[in-house]
Amino acid sequence: MKIAVDVMGTDYGPQELVLGAVQAVRAYEVVLVGDSEIIKKLLEEYNAADERKITVHHSSEVINMDEHPGIAVKAKKDASIVVATKLLRDKECDALVSSGSTGAA
């Protein structure tokens, strides 16, 4: 099973979500969706930069909690939740987890 994780859509930043993914890879493959530079630095910090079950899929935009979800999804085609949803739709992942905007998800 491969799970897409929108690590950018949270009020507290991607740190805890990336750490959770590092800990979860014993059971699952994880695709971390978001700013690849930030994610790769966090993976290095957590000694997981070479973890084979973690891949990074870059997205350049984030839908913030104060944005109208319907408008933001249409305007931000490269938002992490939009990209993660496409991975799920295209069957590149089996599930999707997001702690971001519920309306956008």
Side-chain angles (χ1 to χ4, degrees), residues 65-101:
M65 295 296 188
D66 62 343
E67 295 183 83
H68 185 280
I71 294 170
V73 166
K74 291 178 183 175
K76 294 184 171 182
K77 300 294 185 190
D78 200 44
S80 53
I81 186 61
V82 174
V83 173
T85 301
K86 288 178 184 175
L87 292 171
L88 182 64
R89 179 197 66 199
D90 296 342
K91 299 188 187 306
E92 293 182 44
C93 294
D94 302 302
L96 166 61
V97 175
S98 176
S99 61
S101 168

Side-chain angles (χ1 to χ4, degrees), residues 36-92:
S36 60
E37 186 175 315
I38 292 171
I39 295 168
K40 288 177 182 179
K41 285 180 184 176
L42 289 168
L43 289 171
E44 287 177 17
E45 182 179 325
Y46 301 141
N47 297 316
D50 297 325
E51 175 57 59
R52 293 181 300 131
K53 289 186 173 184
I54 297 176
T55 56
V56 176
H57 194 100
H58 180 74
S59 67
S60 62
E61 298 176 297
V62 176
I63 296 176
N64 297 309
M65 295 296 188
D66 62 343
E67 295 183 83
H68 185 280
I71 294 170
V73 166
K74 291 178 183 175
K76 294 184 171 182
K77 300 294 185 190
D78 200 44
S80 53
I81 186 61
V82 174
V83 173
T85 301
K86 288 178 184 175
L87 292 171
L88 182 64
R89 179 197 66 199
D90 296 342
K91 299 188 187 306
E92 293 182 44

Side-chain angles (χ1 to χ4, degrees), residues 27-38:
Y28 303 102
E29 284 185 63
V30 178
V31 180
L32 301 176
V33 181
D35 185 315
S36 60
E37 186 175 315
I38 292 171

Side-chain angles (χ1 to χ4, degrees), residues 12-37:
Y12 300 104
Q15 293 85 355
E16 291 302 315
L17 296 171
V18 172
L19 178 59
V22 168
Q23 295 171 346
V25 295
R26 291 179 180 97
Y28 303 102
E29 284 185 63
V30 178
V31 180
L32 301 176
V33 181
D35 185 315
S36 60
E37 186 175 315

